[in-house]
Amino acid sequence: MTMKIPLPDEARLTPEIAATLGKLPPLNVFRMMANAPASFEPLVNFAMSILLRSEFDKRKREIAVLRVAHVTRSSYEWTHHVAVAKSVGVTDDEIAAIKADGAVTRLDAEGNLLCRVADEISRDVRLSDEALASIMDRYGVRQATELILCCSYFNMLSRFLESTRVELEP
């Protein structure tokens, strides 16, 4: 048997956490977060700020998220975000290019840059001066910051998913 952290018993959740879970898609990632009651609401709010309230373009965001998921080898994150990416216009060919083992070079210049940013944050933690200057020039302060927060959040999430061993829903 593989070690993993179990999903919480729904009967033992606080009414507040149960109510929040009831408003979210029925995903194991959210249920696993409920194992940490003090962090649950802040994590959900942070996720929603990136997914629903950011100015950063959703299609571009999903290219970066998929690259983070690939680099961090998070199959749960990859599987769910392939569907999200397709819903915002990322093509099967682009998804295949994002899954490259080396540097991504088969997308357009902007897609390659998004993947480079995801790679550097995931692998090196700190963006190179060149990558930071490129996203500042292209997106400005707010959206460059939102892209960095997005990549950082999905790095944290992939580590959480993989370390707790969250399973894909049936």
Side-chain angles (χ1 to χ4, degrees), residues 23 35 38 52 92 109 137 157 167:
K23 296 175 192 171
N35 273 326
L52 303 177
D92 288 334
D137 288 345
L157 188 63
E167 294 178 4

Short mmCIF file of all heavy atoms in Angstrom, two decimals, residues 23 35 38 52 92 109 137 157 167:
data_model
loop_
_atom_site.label_atom_id
_atom_site.label_comp_id
_atom_site.label_asym_id
_atom_site.label_seq_id
_atom_site.Cartn_x
_atom_site.Cartn_y
_atom_site.Cartn_z
N LYS A 23 -19.67 24.91 -2.50
CA LYS A 23 -19.71 25.92 -3.55
C LYS A 23 -18.65 25.70 -4.62
O LYS A 23 -18.67 26.36 -5.66
CB LYS A 23 -19.52 27.31 -2.95
CG LYS A 23 -20.61 27.73 -1.99
CD LYS A 23 -20.26 29.07 -1.36
CE LYS A 23 -21.18 29.38 -0.20
NZ LYS A 23 -20.72 30.55 0.56
N ASN A 35 -8.03 19.47 5.03
CA ASN A 35 -7.30 18.85 6.14
C ASN A 35 -6.52 19.88 6.96
O ASN A 35 -6.05 19.57 8.05
CB ASN A 35 -6.31 17.79 5.61
CG ASN A 35 -6.94 16.43 5.45
OD1 ASN A 35 -7.82 16.05 6.21
ND2 ASN A 35 -6.50 15.71 4.44
N ALA A 38 -7.06 25.94 9.13
CA ALA A 38 -6.63 27.33 9.24
C ALA A 38 -6.18 27.89 7.89
O ALA A 38 -6.25 29.10 7.66
CB ALA A 38 -5.50 27.46 10.26
N LEU A 52 -9.78 33.58 -11.23
CA LEU A 52 -10.98 34.33 -11.59
C LEU A 52 -10.84 35.85 -11.55
O LEU A 52 -11.61 36.54 -12.20
CB LEU A 52 -12.14 33.92 -10.65
CG LEU A 52 -12.49 32.43 -10.62
CD1 LEU A 52 -13.59 32.17 -9.61
CD2 LEU A 52 -12.88 31.94 -12.01
N ASP A 92 -4.20 21.30 -29.02
CA ASP A 92 -3.50 20.04 -28.75
C ASP A 92 -2.03 20.14 -29.14
O ASP A 92 -1.15 19.61 -28.44
CB ASP A 92 -4.17 18.88 -29.49
CG ASP A 92 -5.51 18.49 -28.89
OD1 ASP A 92 -5.73 18.74 -27.68
OD2 ASP A 92 -6.35 17.95 -29.64
N ALA A 109 6.70 33.23 -29.93
CA ALA A 109 7.66 33.87 -29.02
C ALA A 109 7.06 34.08 -27.63
O ALA A 109 7.72 33.86 -26.61
CB ALA A 109 8.15 35.20 -29.61
N ASP A 137 8.44 44.25 -19.82
CA ASP A 137 8.23 44.99 -21.07
C ASP A 137 6.92 44.58 -21.74
O ASP A 137 6.20 45.40 -22.27
CB ASP A 137 9.38 44.74 -22.05
CG ASP A 137 10.67 45.43 -21.64
OD1 ASP A 137 10.63 46.33 -20.76
OD2 ASP A 137 11.73 45.06 -22.18
N LEU A 157 1.19 24.40 -5.27
CA LEU A 157 0.11 23.43 -5.37
C LEU A 157 0.60 22.08 -5.86
O LEU A 157 0.20 21.04 -5.33
CB LEU A 157 -1.00 23.95 -6.30
CG LEU A 157 -2.26 23.10 -6.32
CD1 LEU A 157 -2.93 23.06 -4.96
CD2 LEU A 157 -3.22 23.63 -7.39
N GLU A 167 -5.32 11.90 -5.29
CA GLU A 167 -5.67 11.06 -6.45
C GLU A 167 -6.67 11.78 -7.33
O GLU A 167 -7.53 12.54 -6.84
CB GLU A 167 -6.27 9.74 -5.97
CG GLU A 167 -5.27 8.88 -5.23
CD GLU A 167 -5.88 7.58 -4.72
OE1 GLU A 167 -7.07 7.29 -5.00
OE2 GLU A 167 -5.16 6.86 -4.03
#
